[in-house]
Amino acid sequence: MADSSEPARLVAKTANQKAPSSAAETTSRNADSKQKQTRPARSTRAASSRPSNPFLIPLQLVSGAYFPFLGCIVLVLAGLGLLLLSQWQGRFSIILGSFLILTALHIVIGLFALFQRVDTEDEFEIELPSKWQKGLEKLVERVATERGLDSPDIIRLHAQSMAHIYADQDRNTVLVIGGTLIAMLPQQALAGIIAHELTHCTAGDVRRSRMSSHWRRVMINLEIRFLVHSWAMWNPFVWLIRLYHHVYFRLFFASMRRAEFLADSYYADQVGEEATATTLVLINVLDNMPWANLQNMAESMSMANYRVDHFFEEQVRRLRSASTSDWENALRKALQEEPEWFSTHPVLKERLKPLGVKAKSVLPLAMNMTGEPSTALFANWSAVEQHLSKRLLSIARVLYGERRQAFEDIAAIMRTV
């Protein structure tokens, strides 16, 4: 229950920040008036109107009851099985009793997933020396201070992901920024992305996600075991467990989508509703431009054995060289997307609705984003980009080679049939 109040405390933390004293306000009035001309209009959203997460408490209740639920199922199965075996009233009771006990053991074995070593190292991540990214660190600290958010313990770059935040095995909060965003966005837009991600940390989403990873690991392990051992599907208790899993994952993904709206509200506070909508449109349009999509580019270049030292620069070049009709078609596809129950993020049209901004109105801004480039936050972005590009393409080549080998093995088997 302590976690359920985190979003409320986050709202109160921002709403109750002390106003500057009148003396300080007088001395900084001239500087503020100059900044108003360069900064975008920020949201005036009241703290009480922050989006809530109605799925959070049900999710915590279902999570907390999961292991007691499995314990009860195991005890019932084992008890019924032993009862049938003790009566010895024929072959059917022996078979049924053995079947129930075997299912109970099957579930207990599935719980050993809790003790499996989980490798959380992301091969696409790199951590730069502090002197290489002082500008990025200062920007993150400024955003955290302005919005009353928790600062991350570690800042890393990513060769594939756009941006995310998580807690590592040492419980350090790790903020990850993708090379695509740094190459594509100005610093003001990147500040909004940072505010969005830090909100997930301050609201408790990161901590809850790490805690619930144990439950999810067991659930996925049991689901795989049930599907591989089809005999277990004849047991109605297995159906009950799978129904529990389905309810949990429904709540889990619904809660993740609702958390995005709270993060977007702080995003809008940092850069304004229009700038927030512009960046969201840009990111979603990029997903619908195959020739400028990061994954597609990496795969095609690895297939052709190309060497590209400035991969993200090439991506931005392809994006900016697209015609207006290409942008409009990609935006139409993005707006036509419908939410799936297993989606971790809301679709574009759902995220734009609370902002009160139409996608078509900010499309020209997305096509020509201006401002101080985020690449200036690094001491030597060219060297950093080369390192990220090599990391991305080397991994893409390995994956392509493995897939090609798998196809060749299948073809060889088919020729022998």
Side-chain angles (χ1 to χ4, degrees), residues 68-351:
F69 167 76
L70 285 184
C72 292
I73 293 291
V74 169
L75 290 176
V76 170
L77 287 172
L80 290 175
L82 291 174
L83 181 62
L84 289 172
L85 288 177
S86 64
Q87 292 182 354
W88 296 94
Q89 293 182 353
R91 182 179 299 177
F92 178 75
S93 64
I94 296 175
I95 294 175
L96 182 58
S98 301
F99 175 69
L100 293 177
I101 293 176
L102 186 60
T103 305
L105 291 174
H106 198 52
I107 296 171
V108 172
I109 293 173
L111 294 176
F112 279 92
L114 287 171
F115 308 103
Q116 294 175 355
R117 178 180 174 82
V118 179
D119 186 9
T120 58
E121 184 178 353
D122 190 339
E123 56 187 349
F124 287 102
E125 280 186 15
I126 66 168
E127 186 173 349
L128 297 177
S130 180
K131 62 181 181 180
W132 281 39
Q133 56 179 13
K134 284 185 177 179
L136 179 60
E137 291 177 355
K138 289 180 179 179
L139 178 62
V140 171
E141 190 60 36
R142 177 173 68 82
V143 171
T145 302
E146 289 181 354
R147 299 273 69 81
L149 301 170
D150 296 338
S151 299
D153 300 308
I154 302 171
I155 301 174
R156 292 175 182 161
L157 301 185
H158 205 278
Q160 188 179 54
S161 172
M162 290 290 184
H164 59 273
I165 191 167
Y166 68 94
D168 62 13
Q169 292 182 341
D170 298 324
R171 300 188 182 279
N172 292 318
T173 305
V174 183
L175 173 64
V176 182
I177 305 295
T180 295
L181 293 184
I182 295 169
M184 185 170 56
L185 298 181
Q187 292 184 25
Q188 188 62 31
L190 184 63
I193 297 286
I194 292 170
H196 176 101
E197 298 301 332
L198 294 185
T199 302
H200 286 305
C201 176
T202 311
D205 299 333
V206 173
R207 183 174 66 255
R208 281 189 293 270
S209 178
R210 180 160 185 82
M211 290 176 60
S212 64
S213 63
H214 303 294
W215 285 270
R216 296 197 301 273
R217 201 186 317 156
V218 171
M219 290 180 185
I220 293 173
N221 187 32
L222 285 177
E223 286 291 327
I224 293 174
R225 294 182 66 85
F226 291 152
L227 293 175
V228 171
H229 301 88
S230 57
W231 55 265
M233 302 303 294
W234 291 94
N235 193 328
F237 286 96
V238 171
W239 306 343
L240 186 60
I241 293 174
R242 298 197 69 196
L243 177 61
Y244 198 107
H245 292 172
H246 184 75
V247 170
Y248 171 85
F249 281 112
R250 283 272 187 175
L251 291 172
F252 174 75
F253 287 112
S255 179
M256 289 190 70
R257 291 193 296 272
R258 290 300 304 178
E260 292 300 315
F261 290 110
L262 176 63
D264 280 349
S265 71
Y266 281 83
Y267 189 163
D269 285 347
Q270 182 66 31
V271 299
E273 280 85 353
E274 185 179 66
T276 301
T278 301
T279 307
L280 290 174
V281 166
L282 177 60
I283 292 174
N284 282 269
V285 163
L286 183 61
D287 288 337
N288 288 277
M289 288 184 175
W291 63 91
N293 182 273
L294 193 69
Q295 186 173 352
N296 292 341
M297 287 178 60
E299 183 175 352
S300 61
M301 289 180 182
S302 63
M303 291 172 61
N305 201 25
Y306 284 162
R307 176 180 175 179
V308 181
D309 292 333
H310 297 85
F311 190 93
F312 303 102
E313 181 181 325
E314 171 65 17
Q315 184 186 25
V316 173
R317 186 195 66 78
R318 292 188 182 191
L319 180 66
R320 299 307 178 193
S321 63
S323 65
T324 302
S325 61
D326 290 332
W327 281 81
E328 292 175 345
N329 290 335
L331 177 60
R332 185 177 66 254
K333 292 178 181 178
L335 292 174
Q336 289 175 347
E337 293 177 353
E338 295 295 333
E340 303 283 352
W341 72 265
F342 50 83
S343 300
T344 58
H345 288 67
V347 295
L348 177 61
K349 60 184 177 183
E350 290 180 339
R351 298 182 73 172

Side-chain angles (χ1 to χ4, degrees), residues 31-44:
D32 290 343
S33 62
K34 292 179 180 180
Q35 290 179 354
K36 286 180 180 178
Q37 297 177 357
T38 58
R39 288 186 180 180
R42 293 182 179 175
S43 172
T44 57

